[in-house]
Amino acid sequence: MPAQQVYDTVIVGGGHNGLVAAAYLARAGQSVLVLERLDHTGGAAVSTRPFEGVDARLSRYSYLVSLLPQKIVDELGLRFAVRKRNVSSYTPVVRDGRPTGLLVGGGEERTRAAFRRLTGSDAEYAAWEEFYGMTRRVAERVFPTLTEPLPTAAALRERVGDDAAWRALFEEPIGVAVEERFTDDLVRGVVLTDALIGTFADAHDPSLAQNRCFLYHVIGGGTGDWDVPVGGMGAFTDALADAARAAGAEIVTGHEATALRTDGSAAEVDFRTGTDEGTVAARHVLVNASPQALAALTGDVAPPPAEGAQLKVNMLLTRLPRLRDTAVDPREAFAGTFHIGEGYGELAAAYAQALSGQLPAAPPSEIYCHSLTDPSILGPDLAARGYQTLTLFGLHTPARLFADDNDKTREELLAATLAQLDAHLAEPIADCLATDAQGRPCIEAKTPLDLERDLRLPGGNIFHRALAFPYAEVSTGRWGVETAHANVLLCGAGAVRGGGVSGIPGHNAAMAVLGL
C-alpha cells in the first residue's frame, strides 16, 4: 500500500514514460507515487525469459531504441547503454531465377556495390544517398524539438528550412516521394517499410498515417539510427525505476487504478490490489496509459481506438540458418533488419488483401538478431554454444483479421510468415529452433488482440492511437500532454510526440507539471 494518502503527483502506470516523469518530478522535490497494475514496472519495454528452463532474456514486445533522447539519459543519470548495428538492413530477393539481395551497411563502398549488384547501376544508390541525406537533415532539426514546447506547424517548417523535404514528408503521401526518387521495386519497398511498422496504411493513403510513422522512424537521435539496448529493453526500464526511486519516488506494483476524480486543481485516484482497495489524493495526476484508459478512469467519452496491425514473434535458435544467397554471411544479414516479402509491389498486395478481410498470402515481415550485437542477453552456456535470438515483426495484419478466432488465425499467419522466410533460407527455420525444458520449440507469437489482452493496448495498437505530427494542432496544449482536465496529463504513447520507446511524453508531462 502507498506510504501516505496525499502526494504532489500520482502517476498511473509504471511503463517507461511514467518512470521518466516520476524521476524528473522527484528530482524536482515533489512527492511522487507510481501505481502499477502488474507485478513489475516497464510496461511494453521489458525483458523476460519466455521459454521455460531456457536462460535467454528477450526484449519481449519493444526491442530497439531510436527515439530516446540522450538528454533524458544524461539528465536522469541513467546507467544504460546502447550499441550500434554494423549493418542497417538486408533484403533477399530472387532475380532472374537466382537468389540475391540488398545489404545496406558495412561501409559506403560495400553498400554501393550491393546496389550495383542488385540493380546493375549506381543510380539507385545515388538516389538512396540523396533521399536519406534529406531525412537526416530533417532529423537534425526536428528531433531536438521533441523535448521542447510544441512548435506550430509554421515554426517547425521554418526550422526544417527545406520546402521540398517538408512537402515530401509532411504534406504529400510518402508514396509520391518514393516513386519519384526510386525505380527498383525492392529498393522502393525497403524505403517504404519504415512507414508501415505498426501502421496499417497504403503508400498513398490520404490520411498521411504512413508519413507520420515514417517520420518517427527516421528522426530518432537526430540521425535515424536504431540501436540495440545492452542487456535488453528491461535494462532500460530497470535503470529508470532505479533512478526514480533514488530520487525519492514511491513505486508500488500490483496496484490497479480504477477511478480518477478531479475538480481541475485537486484530484483523487482510487485503486485496488489483490486483497484491498484505497484512495490517494494529489495536485496532479499523470496517466501513463492510452487515451481510452484515461477516459475509463475519468468517466469521459473515450476516443475511438486506433487499430493495431502487427505480428510479434520471438524465437531462440541453436544457430543462424544458412541463406540461399551465399554472397552474404548470415551473421551480417541478421545483424541488421532482415526484410521478408517487402518489395513495393508485395507490400501493396499484402495491404489490399488485408483491407479486403483476408490474411496476406505472402505476409511481409522483418527480423533482427539482438544477440549478435549484445550476447549478454543469453546465458553463458547458450552464448558459448552459438545460440541466437530472432525477433520478427509482421506488417499489414490488422486486428480485425483475428476477431473471429484469434488462436487459429495466429497459427495460420505464423506458418505463412515462416514459409516466406524459409523461401530465402538454405534450411528450414524450424530446424534451427531451440527447444525448452519440455521439448517445445522456442517460438512465441503475439497478435494485436494478444497485445490488447496482455498490455491493454486498445486494438493492439503499439502507439496507443494514431501517431500525430510533432507540431501543435487544435487543443494540443503547450506540451502536447494536456487533457480536458487542467491537472490531469497524458504521459504515455498516446500523447502528441508519443509512440515508440522514447521517454519523451514522460519528460514533457513532467515539464508541464513544473510549469516550464
Side-chain angles (χ1 to χ4, degrees), residues 452-472:
E452 183 172 49
R453 179 197 64 222
D454 295 348
L455 300 175
R456 296 194 177 176
L457 300 178
N461 189 287
I462 60 174
F463 306 128
H464 287 192
R465 62 178 172 186
L467 290 168
F469 281 123
Y471 52 69

Side-chain angles (χ1 to χ4, degrees), residues 215-448:
L215 186 71
Y216 277 80
H217 278 87
V218 299
I219 63 173
T223 63
D225 291 339
W226 285 81
D227 299 327
V228 176
V230 176
M233 195 61 76
F236 168 52
T237 47
D238 287 348
L240 281 173
D242 290 344
R245 289 190 177 102
E250 182 183 350
I251 301 172
V252 292
T253 58
H255 286 61
E256 180 180 5
T258 57
L260 192 172
R261 296 176 297 280
T262 179
D263 62 7
S265 59
E268 291 183 331
V269 179
D270 297 338
F271 65 86
R272 65 184 171 214
T273 67
T275 59
D276 207 350
E277 296 181 347
T279 299
V280 287
R283 290 191 297 117
H284 290 92
V285 176
L286 274 54
V287 177
N288 182 28
S290 69
Q292 287 75 25
L294 169 61
L297 290 172
T298 60
D300 295 332
V301 177
E307 186 177 35
Q310 67 285 316
L311 177 73
K312 181 71 165 58
V313 183
N314 288 311
M315 293 176 266
L316 179 68
L317 311 183
T318 58
R319 67 183 186 281
L320 289 177
R322 292 176 288 111
L323 304 177
R324 292 185 63 203
D325 179 5
T326 57
V328 177
D329 185 330
R331 294 181 64 86
E332 290 189 309
F334 287 102
T337 301
F338 189 112
H339 298 279
I340 306 161
E342 293 189 332
Y344 200 66
E346 291 173 311
L347 289 168
Y351 174 77
Q353 288 174 326
L355 188 64
S356 71
Q358 307 172 59
L359 282 177
S365 63
E366 42 199 61
I367 295 177
Y368 100 106
C369 177
H370 184 129
S371 52
L372 282 172
T373 304
D374 172 30
S376 73
I377 64 170
L378 297 175
D381 179 62
L382 296 183
R385 291 161 62 188
Y387 279 53
Q388 303 288 355
T389 65
L390 285 188
T391 296
L392 181 149
F393 203 94
L395 280 62
H396 287 335
T397 55
R400 70 191 79 164
L401 300 182
F402 303 89
D404 290 339
D405 191 331
N406 185 47
D407 293 340
K408 179 182 177 183
T409 307
R410 183 199 307 111
E411 293 307 310
E412 290 178 359
L413 179 60
L414 178 60
T417 299
L418 296 183
Q420 288 298 301
L421 171 61
D422 281 347
H424 299 289
L425 303 180
E427 55 184 327
I429 191 67
D431 289 356
C432 302
L433 286 173
T435 53
D436 69 6
Q438 303 298 323
R440 297 167 297 201
C442 290
I443 182 169
E444 67 165 9
K446 301 284 187 180
T447 71

Side-chain angles (χ1 to χ4, degrees), residues 118-292:
L118 177 73
T119 67
S121 78
D122 289 336
E124 291 292 85
Y125 176 73
W128 178 279
E129 285 293 288
E130 181 182 5
F131 181 73
Y132 283 106
M134 177 265 287
T135 64
R136 281 191 292 272
R137 290 190 295 274
V138 171
E140 290 169 357
R141 292 160 173 78
V142 171
F143 190 71
T145 72
L146 301 187
T147 49
E148 299 172 358
L150 267 175
T152 64
L156 189 62
R157 180 171 188 161
E158 182 177 356
R159 190 151 175 172
V160 168
D162 183 334
D163 287 344
W166 183 268
R167 183 172 62 253
L169 299 180
F170 291 84
E171 293 183 342
E172 295 178 341
I174 194 67
V176 174
V178 172
E179 292 171 17
E180 283 181 350
R181 288 164 171 80
F182 304 100
T183 58
D184 186 90
D185 180 84
L186 191 72
V187 176
R188 284 178 169 182
V190 173
V191 176
L192 181 63
T193 55
D194 278 336
L196 305 177
I197 303 296
T199 297
F200 186 55
D202 180 70
H204 292 277
D205 194 312
S207 75
L208 303 186
Q210 72 281 25
N211 287 53
R212 298 191 292 273
C213 184
F214 183 84
L215 186 71
Y216 277 80
H217 278 87
V218 299
I219 63 173
T223 63
D225 291 339
W226 285 81
D227 299 327
V228 176
V230 176
M233 195 61 76
F236 168 52
T237 47
D238 287 348
L240 281 173
D242 290 344
R245 289 190 177 102
E250 182 183 350
I251 301 172
V252 292
T253 58
H255 286 61
E256 180 180 5
T258 57
L260 192 172
R261 296 176 297 280
T262 179
D263 62 7
S265 59
E268 291 183 331
V269 179
D270 297 338
F271 65 86
R272 65 184 171 214
T273 67
T275 59
D276 207 350
E277 296 181 347
T279 299
V280 287
R283 290 191 297 117
H284 290 92
V285 176
L286 274 54
V287 177
N288 182 28
S290 69
Q292 287 75 25

Side-chain angles (χ1 to χ4, degrees), residues 71-103:
K71 166 188 171 71
I72 291 177
V73 176
D74 293 342
E75 289 180 348
L76 298 184
L78 301 181
R79 298 173 61 85
F80 169 73
V82 295
R83 288 181 184 162
K84 301 291 184 187
R85 301 188 296 174
N86 293 328
V87 173
S88 174
S89 67
Y90 170 71
T91 309
V93 69
V94 176
R95 291 272 171 96
D96 300 323
R98 66 179 181 86
T100 184
L102 177 64
L103 183 75

